[in-house]
Amino acid sequence: MGNQSPQEGKAVGEDSVALLSNKVDPAEETPHFISLRPKSLKDYIGQAEVIEALSIAIEAARQRKEPLDHILFHAPPGLGKTTLAHIIAGEMGVNMTVTSGPALEKGGDLLGILTHLEEGDLLFIDEIHRLPKVVEEFLYPAMEDFAVDFIFDKGVHARSHRYRLARFVLVGATTRAGLLSAPLRERFGIFRSLDFYSDEELVQIARRSAVLLNVEIDTDGAYEIARRSRGTPRIVNRLLKRVRDFAQVRGDGIIRKDIVCKALELEGVDEKGLAVLDRKYLKTIIDFYKGGPVGIEAIAATLQEESDTLVDVVEPYLLKIGFVNRTSSGRKVTEEAYRHFGLPIQQGLFR
Ligand code: ADE
């Protein structure tokens, strides 16, 4: 988390560490590290329906003394998929092991992890849509029968061994539910999409985080950060820390609206909360492709960015605020985006 890019999403290939055991809470391990993540369902702000559904599933599983069904979370980056996985593990009182789709290259990588899980333990696979096919197929019997068949050697020496596994809970996270194969998707008993947060929820998150960071923030200051955080708690917390620095060095330490505006200007965050890459994306379509329609690969090539980053990180919020549309012939910038940049709209472009 320490190396978050300004655009907030994870770069492709990040999290490539094969296994990150989370048996120790980093907040307890590192002095001076303050985790802004809520630790329990009752502390979680927003996503009310998801939280209620999870509370019911957790309580029912606890009463029956059974592990939970496997859970799949779908959302753009920064909306709480990983945080919820940690909370579920905490509420169930089990250990959680963290890995990611691209970090698992072979069935053997997964076998090592699965055989170390104890009854009820949680296995979190981030970017599960990027799991290689061989690993995905290895996962099916593990999810369904809590057993895996591993084949050693090849040809006439081939031997198969069946490993029994403890009844673990898989929590998968994806930014692209559509890329998951149907057989994998169908093996999750609980599937939830997380939405962008409302400004009111983000204000509450900013206030909660300010308390944890021991910094004073007024109502207008909290609202200004919330409103420019693209519906995303991770962005609230990142901007809050930058504004706190600014207030401390250039102000009296208190976060007010005028300090937020100055600090965010320095961060390259505009009135709508758009960051550098958001603006470059929109300007590319406007300047090079006359507002579109244009295919994502052409935009990515012009911007020299990965198309995955644009689709996962940049587009979801621009689609949500109606600055772009996705049509069958490609991406199209809307009138609102032209107006945001103060650009003239050519006759006949939208009418
Ligand atoms: N920090 C980040 N996300 C949060 C959330 N949803 N609720 C409370 N604090 C948070």
Side-chain angles (χ1 to χ4, degrees), residues 36-38 43-46 79 83 197 205 208-209 233-234 237:
L36 299 179
R37 280 188 176 162
D43 288 342
Y44 200 95
I45 296 160
L79 294 197
T83 300
Y197 293 63
I205 292 172
R208 176 183 179 274
S209 297
R234 185 188 290 163
N237 288 336

Side-chain angles (χ1 to χ4, degrees), residues 4-73:
Q4 214 34 259
S5 76
Q7 195 59 36
E8 314 301 334
K10 285 185 211 157
V12 176
E14 204 181 311
D15 270 355
S16 56
V17 192
L19 171 65
L20 223 167
S21 181
N22 186 46
K23 300 202 168 167
V24 182
D25 184 345
E28 284 168 18
E29 204 180 36
T30 322
H32 312 302
F33 175 81
I34 298 163
S35 173
L36 299 179
R37 280 188 176 162
K39 301 269 181 313
S40 65
L41 288 173
K42 76 171 175 21
D43 288 342
Y44 200 95
I45 296 160
Q47 314 295 342
E49 263 186 31
V50 176
I51 298 297
E52 188 179 359
L54 288 176
S55 315
I56 291 169
I58 289 170
E59 197 177 327
R62 269 209 224 112
Q63 286 174 1
R64 291 195 303 262
K65 300 193 170 30
E66 279 177 10
L68 283 166
D69 274 346
H70 303 303
I71 303 172
L72 180 64
F73 290 125

